[in-house]
Amino acid sequence: QVQLVQSGAEVKQPGASVKVSCKASGYTFTNYGISWVRQAPGQGLEWMGWISAYIGDTNYAQKFQGRLTMTTNTSTSTAYMELRSLTSDDTAVYFCARVGAVAGTWGDYWGQGALVTVSS
Amino acid sequence: EMVMTQSPATLSVSPGERATLSCRASQSVSRNLAWYQQKPGQAPRLLIYGASARATGIPARFSGSGSGTEFTLTISSLQSEDFAVYYCQQYNNWPRTFGQGTKVEIK
C-alpha cells in the first residue's frame, strides 16, 4: 500500500533552518512527484511547492523563493523540504503529498504531517 | 496568482440532508480542480480530481461538477463521518492554490 511517512516534530529558533523528510513506499517513487503543503494553527492549506521525482524539476510558490529547497533521493525514495530563515510565521504542520510526475496535480496520498514550531 | 474562493465559510447541515459547497476561481482552470476533506488532526484526504472524478474508495454520495471558474461539491446525504472541512485546489496554473475551506458542521 502507498505510504508517505514524514519525520517528527521540530522546534527551531528564529533564523534557523528546518529540513523535513518524507519517505515513500508502496509505489515506484520516480513515477510521481511530491508537493509540500503547510497549515498554520487554525488556518487553511497553503501550497509551498512541487518536485518531480522523475526529472528533478521544481516549482516553488513565490513567497518562499530564496529560502525554500526541495530535493529527492531516489535511492531511498525520500523527498526533503528545507526552509531557511525561519520566523514565527513559519510555525505550521508541513505535509507532503504524492502528485503527478510531470506537473504537480492532485495529491492522492499524504504524509501524516510534521509540526514545526519556531520559537525563541 | 490564481485565487480560489469557497462559499459558504460554514455550512450547518443535519445528518441525512444534502450539502452543496461552492468554489470559484479568479480565472479559468478548465477542469483542473480537486476537492479534499480534512478532519481535525488529520492530513487532507482526496475526494475528487478532474472536477468530477471520484478518488479511489470515495463513496458515491460525494460528487463534483463544474468547469472553468465555477465548481460544486455535493454530498447527497450527510453521514456523521462527513462533518469536516473541505478544500478545493486548482492545478491548472502555478502556483497551485487552495481555497480557504468550508466547514461542514452538524445543525
Side-chain angles (χ1 to χ4, degrees), chain A residues 37 39 43-47 50 59-62 95 102-108 110-113, chain B residues 1 34 36 38 41-46 48-50 56 87 89 91 94-100:
Chain A
V37 174
Q39 186 168 41
Q43 303 302 307
L45 302 174
E46 179 178 29
W47 185 87
W50 162 82
N59 194 301
Y60 303 147
Q62 181 68 33
F95 294 103
V102 175
T105 52
W106 60 88
D108 59 354
W110 292 65
Q112 81 276 19
Chain B
E1 174 175 306
Y36 302 90
Q38 188 181 33
Q42 296 185 15
R45 173 194 183 198
L46 177 68
I48 301 285
Y49 62 93
T56 303
Y87 295 94
Q89 181 213 0
Y91 49 90
W94 300 104
R96 308 321 194 195
T97 45
F98 289 91
Q100 80 280 18

Side-chain angles (χ1 to χ4, degrees), chain A residues 104-106, chain B residues 29 31-34 49-51 89-93 96:
Chain A
T105 52
W106 60 88
Chain B
V29 299
R31 293 180 61 82
N32 295 316
L33 185 108
Y49 62 93
Q89 181 213 0
Q90 66 82 19
Y91 49 90
N92 193 68
N93 294 79
R96 308 321 194 195

